[in-house]
Amino acid sequence: MNEALKAVFLSEDGRLRNGWKILGFLAAFMGLSKAIGLLAHHFHLPPSDALREWILVGLVLLISWAFVRLEREPFQSLGWKLDGRWGLELLLGTLLGVGIIGLAALGSVASGAVSMVRSGQGASGMLSGAVFFLAVAFFEEAAFRGYLFQRMTRGTGFLIAQLIMALFFGLAHWGNPGMH
C-alpha cells in the first residue's frame, strides 16, 4: 500500500483512524438494526415501542462492546462501569433528570405557555411510559455519548466532538412533536 493511501486509513501509530472506526460503527448499527426490523416484519411480530427501544439499547451496547474489544480496550473505557456506585449514580441521575424536566414543565404551566390535561391512563400507563422513556434515555446515552463520542473526541478533541454530537442529537430529534 502506498504511503499516501496508508495515511488516509491509518494514524501515525499505525492504528485505524477514528473516522473510519466511527463509519464502521454506524454501518454495523444501521445494518443490524435494519436486519432486526426485517426479521420482525417477516415473523409478524407486533410492534411495541418499549420493546423496540430496549432492543436498540442492547444492539448499540453489543456493537460498542464488539468495537472496543477489537481495539483491545475494556468496555468500561466508554464510561459504563458496573462498580459499587453504579446503582446510586443511576438513581441520582434519574432523579436529577426527572427534577429538571419537572421544573421545566412547572415553569411552562406557571407561565401559561401550556396547560396540563389528564391522560386517563392511570398507573399502568405511567409505568409503561416510564419503561419506554428509560429505554430511550439508555439508548441516547449509549448512542450519543458512548463509542461514537469517545472516538470523535480522540480524533477532533472534546469541544469539536461535543458540537458535532449536539448537532446530530438535534437532527435526530427534528421529527419530534413541537420541533420546528
Side-chain angles (χ1 to χ4, degrees):
M1 180 183 294
N2 77 28
E3 290 303 312
L5 187 58
K6 193 174 180 180
V8 169
F9 293 102
L10 304 177
S11 62
E12 295 77 28
D13 63 358
R15 299 181 83 183
L16 187 63
R17 290 189 176 277
N18 289 303
W20 295 112
K21 293 175 186 179
I22 290 168
L23 285 175
F25 181 92
L26 290 171
F29 179 75
M30 289 187 294
L32 288 173
S33 61
K34 183 67 172 174
I36 289 170
L38 290 172
L39 283 172
H41 179 73
H42 176 73
F43 289 108
H44 307 290
L45 298 177
S48 162
D49 290 338
L51 179 59
R52 184 172 45 248
E53 280 300 317
W54 282 109
I55 289 170
L56 289 174
V57 169
L59 185 60
V60 76
L61 291 175
L62 177 67
I63 295 169
S64 297
W65 174 82
F67 272 64
V68 293
R69 295 308 302 146
L70 286 171
E71 296 178 37
R72 293 180 169 74
E73 291 188 21
F75 187 67
Q76 292 84 354
S77 69
L78 300 178
W80 296 91
K81 295 180 183 176
L82 294 178
D83 57 14
R85 295 177 36 159
W86 78 269
L88 178 62
E89 289 176 355
L90 176 65
L91 177 65
L92 291 175
T94 301
L95 291 175
L96 182 63
V98 167
I100 290 171
I101 291 170
L103 285 174
L106 287 175
S108 297
V109 169
S111 72
V114 298
S115 61
M116 301 286 255
V117 178
R118 276 192 184 269
S119 70
Q121 292 183 3
S124 66
M126 296 266 303
L127 181 60
S128 66
V131 168
F132 171 74
F133 282 109
L134 184 61
V136 170
F138 270 106
F139 174 75
E140 289 182 353
E141 187 70 20
F144 291 102
R145 293 179 46 90
Y147 185 84
L148 295 175
F149 179 70
Q150 299 301 323
R151 294 311 168 265
M152 197 173 295
T153 300
R154 288 182 182 179
T156 65
F158 179 79
L159 183 60
I160 300 295
Q162 189 72 19
L163 290 171
I164 291 170
M165 292 308 288
L167 176 66
F168 286 145
F169 187 84
L171 289 172
H173 291 82
W174 194 257
N176 285 6
M179 290 291 289
H180 304 292

